[in-house]
């Protein structure tokens, strides 16, 4: 029996600029279609770090150069733009690979909003740098005129920082479920999703924030009732004592073991830590669910139990 799998693609699966992305998604599509060819249902989420930064920087430069003509572009809109152009490349690469193998299956990208809590503590302590470097004068102006939070970045200038709140739910989840049930390969929650929160009535307001794509993928996997969450990264397996003489690669982890290693500080914040935390959350969300952390090109072998780090109860 095939599984329902959510795959969280990291930056190495997408490249850091347009030419790199065009090349990277071809290899990414091959690994994903390998799983589809095995009979699995696949839903794809992805990061957008370099891409949304590029868009935000371009928009900021446009506003700076012609302030009388252009108004600032909200970060939530920049995330939406990144979802569109990454999804465009991904779905075309997947469609081509599927047809090359004689698989008649549609691919669709869903512009995805993800609800966050406006009272999340992350909004009181924004830590995620985004956009171009600024001088002290430019930074002071952004603080005064737009209420930005800024930090000095290692002597290189000043940068805007935004919150990274935890995702609560996916607004377009019913549309995503319907597409999956109809047999489509779905690309959703790009860049962790467009962060929004509810205001009066049914209105959704974009938040000046970025959502971690691993946590968003975990919520997506739960809400589509996936069997497996695959979080792809730059290493084949998770390690403890990483980079040290007593480094140890792990074939499997229980949630309790993972929490023990987290408490001992084995996983770097902003790198492996959110991946392990998201994997544990999904594995504990319902009986029979498991998560896998591995390399893109090892995803098929990982699902078959041949490699990667499996997290399950």
């Amino acid at each position: 029996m095939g599984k329902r799998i959510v795959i969280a693609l990291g930056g190495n699966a997408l490249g850091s600029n347009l030419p790199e992305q065009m090349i990277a998604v071809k290899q990414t599509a091959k690994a994903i279609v390998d799983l589809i060819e095995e009979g699995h249902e696949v839903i794809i989420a992805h990061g957008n770090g370099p891409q949304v930064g590029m868009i935000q920087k371009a928009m900021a430069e446009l506003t700076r150069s012609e302030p009388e003509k252009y108004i600032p572009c909200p970060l939530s809109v920049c995330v939406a733009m990144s979802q569109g152009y990454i999804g465009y490349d991904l779905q075309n690469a997947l469609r081509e690979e599927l047809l090359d193998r004689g698989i008649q299956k549609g691919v669709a990208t869903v512009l995805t909003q993800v609800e966050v809590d406006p009272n999340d503590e992350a909004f009181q302590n924004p830590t995620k740098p985004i956009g171009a470097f600024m001088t002290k004068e430019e930074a002071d102006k952004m603080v005064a005129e737009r209420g930005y939070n800024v930090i000095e970045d290692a002597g290189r200038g000043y940068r805007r920082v935004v919150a990274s709140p935890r995702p609560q739910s996916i607004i377009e989840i019913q549309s995503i479920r319907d597409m999956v049930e109809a047999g489509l390969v779905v690309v959703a929650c790009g860049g962790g999703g467009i962060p929004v929160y509810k205001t009066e009535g049914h209105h959704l307001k974009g938040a000046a924030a970025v959502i971690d794509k691993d946590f968003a993928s975990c919520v997506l996997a739960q809400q589509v009732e996936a069997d497996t969450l695959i979080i792809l990264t730059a290493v084949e397996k998770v390690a403890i004592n990483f980079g040290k003489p007593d480094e140890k690669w792990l074939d499997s982890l229980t949630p309790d073991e993972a929490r023990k290693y987290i408490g001992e500080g084995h996983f770097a914040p902003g790198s492996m830590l959110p991946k392990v935390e998201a994997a544990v959350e999904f594995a504990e969300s319902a009986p029979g669910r498991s998560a896998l952390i591995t390399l893109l090109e090892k995803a098929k072998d990982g699902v078959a139990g041949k490699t990667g780090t499996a997290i399950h109860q």
Side-chain angles (χ1 to χ4, degrees), residues 12 231-239 242 249 272 275 293-296 298 308-309:
N12 60 326
I231 299 176
L232 300 175
T233 186
V235 290
E236 189 169 341
K237 297 180 181 181
V238 176
F242 182 70
W249 297 98
M272 188 57 76
K275 293 172 173 55
I293 300 175
T294 193
L295 286 165
L296 170 68
K298 298 289 184 178
T309 302

Side-chain angles (χ1 to χ4, degrees), residues 2-292:
K3 295 180 178 180
R4 178 170 291 181
I5 297 171
V6 168
I7 298 178
L9 298 176
N12 60 326
L14 298 171
S16 58
N17 54 48
L18 283 168
E20 284 184 15
Q21 183 170 296
M22 290 290 289
I23 296 167
V25 294
K26 290 184 179 297
Q27 295 305 312
T28 299
K30 292 181 187 300
I32 292 170
V33 176
D34 282 346
L35 292 170
I36 295 169
E37 205 166 35
E38 293 281 308
H40 302 300
E41 291 180 334
V42 176
I43 304 102
I44 301 148
H46 61 80
N48 71 343
Q51 296 87 354
V52 77
M54 179 185 72
I55 292 167
Q56 201 270 344
K57 183 177 180 180
M59 291 296 175
E61 289 297 329
L62 189 64
T63 306
R64 280 184 196 173
S65 63
E66 298 185 67
E68 70 287 344
K69 187 175 181 181
Y70 298 103
I71 61 172
C73 184
L75 182 55
S76 56
V77 175
C78 294
V79 174
M81 291 179 182
S82 74
Q83 285 190 0
Y85 97 74
I86 294 170
Y88 163 60
D89 278 349
L90 257 179
Q91 72 182 40
N92 276 346
L94 286 163
R95 175 185 175 277
E96 183 177 353
E97 186 65 26
L98 286 162
L99 290 174
D100 284 349
R101 301 194 199 188
I103 301 171
Q104 299 294 325
K105 199 177 250 304
V107 186
T109 298
V110 178
L111 203 65
T112 315
Q113 301 173 96
V114 173
E115 185 179 0
V116 298
D117 182 353
N119 297 313
D120 191 303
E121 290 181 2
F123 286 106
Q124 307 306 315
N125 182 34
T127 58
K128 295 286 186 181
I130 189 163
F133 285 96
M134 299 177 283
T135 65
K136 176 104 173 34
E137 292 72 23
E138 288 172 328
D140 288 344
K141 186 179 180 183
M142 292 299 101
V143 172
E145 292 183 359
R146 303 183 193 170
Y148 283 4
N149 292 284
V150 300
I151 59 166
E152 197 278 326
D153 193 340
R156 296 182 294 173
Y158 291 78
R159 292 184 79 189
R160 182 187 182 190
V161 287
V162 298
S164 184
R166 286 293 187 109
Q168 303 295 309
S169 63
I170 295 162
I171 302 298
E172 287 76 22
I173 192 61
Q174 191 58 55
S175 298
I176 294 167
R177 286 180 187 142
D178 290 346
M179 289 180 178
V180 173
E181 292 296 337
L184 275 69
V185 180
V186 180
V187 180
C189 291
I194 303 162
V196 297
Y197 58 91
K198 293 175 181 174
T199 58
E200 292 183 12
H202 299 292
H203 183 67
L204 296 172
K205 182 175 177 59
V210 291
I211 301 171
D212 185 283
K213 68 104 171 62
D214 296 315
F215 291 130
S217 299
C218 175
V219 174
L220 174 64
Q222 291 179 63
Q223 294 194 328
V224 297
E225 299 183 347
D227 302 298
T228 302
L229 169 64
I230 302 178
I231 299 176
L232 300 175
T233 186
V235 290
E236 189 169 341
K237 297 180 181 181
V238 176
I240 54 173
N241 301 312
F242 182 70
K244 299 177 181 177
D246 56 346
E247 176 181 86
K248 181 182 177 183
W249 297 98
L250 306 172
D251 295 325
S252 65
L253 276 172
T254 66
D256 286 343
E257 288 170 338
R259 276 189 284 269
K260 174 177 177 289
Y261 293 138
I262 288 169
E264 293 171 354
H266 284 283
F267 310 126
S271 179
M272 188 57 76
L273 179 59
K275 293 172 173 55
V276 174
E277 289 178 332
V280 168
E281 182 180 327
F282 179 72
E284 289 188 316
S285 64
R289 289 180 176 172
S290 65
L292 174 72

